[in-house]
C-alpha cells in the first residue's frame, strides 16, 4: 500500500524536476544561430551561456536539494562547458548533499559510513555530475567510488 504510493509520488516528483530542468536547458541555447565571425566565436558564446546556466542550476540545487535533474545538468556541461573549474566548489556541495556525505574533511572520515538513503537514479545522477565536472580538490573520489560500489553502480 504505502510503498506503492511513495514510489508513485517519487516518480511524479522526479518527472516534475526533469521537466523544470529541461525547460531551463531549453532556454540556455538560442533557437536561432548565433551570429559570429567563425565557429570558435560561436562556441565561446555557447560555452559562456551554458557555463552560467550550469552555475545557476547548481546553485539552485545546492539551496533546494532535488529541485534540479542532475543528469540534464551534467549533459549540458558535457556538451557545452569546456572550463569546469568555476563549477567545482558548488558541484562538490551538490554531490555531497545528494549522496548524503558528511561535510568533514574527506581524508578523516571513517570509510564504514552508511550508504545514502537515496535511490540509484539520484545516486547515479550525482556521480555522473561529479565525473563530468571533476571537483576533486573539494571532494575526494574514493568517497564516491565507495558509494557507487556499495549501491552496485559500476
Amino acid at each position: 500500500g504505502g510503498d506503492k504510493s511513495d514510489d508513485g509520488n517519487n516518480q511524479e516528483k522526479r518527472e516534475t524536476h526533469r521537466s523544470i530542468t529541461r525547460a531551463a536547458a531549453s532556454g540556455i541555447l538560442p533557437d536561432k544561430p548565433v551570429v559570429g565571425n567563425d565557429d570558435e566565436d560561436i562556441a565561446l558564446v555557447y560555452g559562456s551561456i551554458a557555463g552560467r546556466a550550469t552555475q545557476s542550476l547548481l546553485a539552485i540545487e545546492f539551496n533546494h536539494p532535488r529541485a534540479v535533474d542532475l543528469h540534464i545538468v551534467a549533459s549540458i556541461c558535457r556538451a557545452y562547458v569546456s572550463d569546469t573549474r568555476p563549477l567545482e566548489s558548488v558541484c562538490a556541495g551538490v554531490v555531497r548533499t545528494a549522496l548524503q556525505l558528511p561535510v568533514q574533511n574527506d581524508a578523516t572520515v571513517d570509510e564504514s559510513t552508511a550508504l545514502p538513503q537515496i535511490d540509484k537514479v539520484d545516486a547515479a545522477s550525482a556521480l555522473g555530475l561529479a565525473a563530468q565536472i571533476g571537483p576533486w580538490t573539494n571532494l575526494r573520489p574514493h568517497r564516491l567510488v565507495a558509494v557507487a560500489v556499495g549501491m552496485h553502480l559500476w
Side-chain angles (χ1 to χ4, degrees), residues 40-120:
E40 189 173 319
D41 287 345
I42 293 169
L44 287 172
V45 170
Y46 283 154
S48 176
I49 293 168
R52 289 179 184 156
T54 301
Q55 180 78 32
S56 294
L57 289 167
L58 289 173
I60 290 167
E61 179 64 16
F62 184 77
N63 291 311
H64 305 284
R66 299 181 57 125
V68 173
D69 186 322
L70 297 180
H71 280 296
I72 294 174
V73 176
S75 295
I76 294 167
C77 197
R78 181 180 316 109
Y80 300 105
V81 180
S82 58
D83 183 8
T84 60
R85 289 174 295 176
L87 306 173
E88 290 176 4
S89 179
V90 70
C91 174
V94 165
V95 170
R96 220 183 241 112
T97 300
L99 297 178
Q100 301 169 356
L101 297 175
V103 180
Q104 300 106 325
N105 180 346
D106 288 328
T108 63
V109 174
D110 179 12
E111 289 300 320
S112 65
T113 304
L115 291 175
Q117 298 301 307
I118 59 173
D119 65 28
K120 285 185 173 185

Side-chain angles (χ1 to χ4, degrees), residues 95-96 98-102 111 113-120 122-127 139-154:
V95 170
R96 220 183 241 112
L99 297 178
Q100 301 169 356
L101 297 175
E111 289 300 320
T113 304
L115 291 175
Q117 298 301 307
I118 59 173
D119 65 28
K120 285 185 173 185
D122 291 336
S125 65
L127 292 167
L139 183 65
R140 301 291 177 245
H142 71 276
R143 301 299 328 255
L144 306 183
V145 170
V147 169
V149 169
M151 294 186 79
H152 306 286
L153 293 169
W154 59 82

